Amino acid sequence: MTLHIGVIDDDRGILYTLEAMGTTAGWRMHSTTEPEECLSWVRHDEIDMLLVDYHMPVMNGRQIIKRVRALNTRVILIALTVEDDPSLASELILAGADDFITKPVRLADFAARIRLHERILGHRDQLNWEERKKGVSRDTMRAVMEFVRTAPEPVVCDDAAAGCGLAYVTAHRYLEHLVERGIVIRRDVVVQDGRPGRPKAFYEWRP
């Protein structure tokens, strides 16, 4: 599985640095300065880990960690902070953080922490019986999500299958899974193709 890592920091220089480090290691990086964007990643299950800067102007790291943890118990939460303060560490752990990385971020430390938590994430996934039972691959699900989200207009299953390199039945299963989760909207439209009253399902991203 390709690891998807989100980073939120108000310093774009740090975002660029972490993006470069993560991309070099082969991870898919998502970065933002906006709290609502990172919360959207979590709601839509687009990331496996989230690195959160503690000092930010709109919403501080503790507040973001607390909101993310309320939305998702699976995602790994790592705080970025310049302080080595036990009381701050306790505060962030209570809010839901799994670990800390001290700034300035060093490549060796960053890579080691991410790989450690990648193994922990694997153990968490072993407990996710619902998705295992349904045979859902996160990489495939994210590919279908990205296809629907970036499509200029609602798509049919054939479009998703061709665009993601999937069999029709597989694309249909993932689209319906996303509909069940409330991420994608399905609209059944009667198509006039010579057959009276023939409905066709169109899928679009839920705003």
Side-chain angles (χ1 to χ4, degrees):
M1 183 182 80
T2 302
L3 195 63
H4 287 240
I5 302 172
V7 187
I8 177 166
D9 199 304
D10 62 332
D11 185 333
R12 292 192 179 276
I14 291 174
L15 292 180
Y16 295 145
T17 299
L18 291 174
E19 281 181 357
M21 288 181 178
T23 302
T24 299
W27 301 316
R28 175 74 182 273
M29 302 299 294
H30 307 249
S31 64
T32 187
T33 60
E34 301 297 329
E36 289 304 325
E37 184 175 3
C38 98
L39 292 172
S40 176
W41 297 336
V42 175
R43 288 190 195 97
H44 293 126
D45 201 19
E46 295 181 66
I47 56 173
D48 303 300
M49 298 186 192
L50 179 64
L51 279 61
V52 183
D53 181 36
Y54 179 70
H55 293 289
M56 287 185 292
V58 177
M59 191 185 297
N60 68 34
R62 185 188 66 80
Q63 293 170 313
I64 291 175
I65 287 169
K66 193 170 182 179
R67 288 187 62 180
V68 167
R69 187 54 77 213
L71 291 169
N72 188 310
T73 57
R74 174 188 179 268
V75 68
I76 297 288
L77 290 169
I78 301 175
L80 301 172
T81 177
V82 294
E83 295 104 337
D84 186 10
D85 181 351
S87 63
L88 176 59
S90 298
E91 176 186 339
L92 293 173
I93 289 289
L94 287 172
D98 293 292
D99 201 356
F100 308 86
I101 295 178
T102 305
K103 292 179 176 180
V105 180
R106 295 174 177 82
L107 177 58
D109 183 41
F110 172 72
R113 295 293 182 89
I114 297 299
R115 291 193 175 102
L116 168 65
H117 286 289
E118 187 174 17
R119 292 195 293 273
I120 293 172
L121 191 67
H123 292 304
R124 285 186 184 177
D125 282 343
Q126 289 296 315
L127 301 176
N128 195 335
W129 289 102
E130 190 60 28
E131 288 196 347
R132 287 180 64 198
K133 185 169 63 178
K134 292 182 178 179
V136 173
S137 157
R138 288 185 182 275
D139 283 346
T140 304
M141 182 176 68
R142 286 169 178 159
V144 175
M145 286 169 60
E146 185 68 13
F147 182 83
V148 177
R149 182 172 56 183
T150 57
E153 57 187 22
V155 303
V156 295
C157 189
D158 287 317
D159 297 333
C164 300
L166 302 172
Y168 178 92
V169 291
T170 303
H172 183 265
R173 181 160 58 89
Y174 277 89
L175 287 167
E176 290 298 318
H177 179 67
L178 293 171
V179 169
E180 286 177 18
R181 294 187 54 190
I183 295 172
V184 167
I185 300 169
R186 183 186 65 218
R187 302 190 190 281
D188 295 317
V189 178
V190 175
V191 178
Q192 298 298 326
D193 60 355
R195 301 180 190 180
R198 187 187 182 202
K200 197 165 192 177
F202 287 82
Y203 300 87
E204 61 183 292
W205 187 255
R206 184 182 293 277

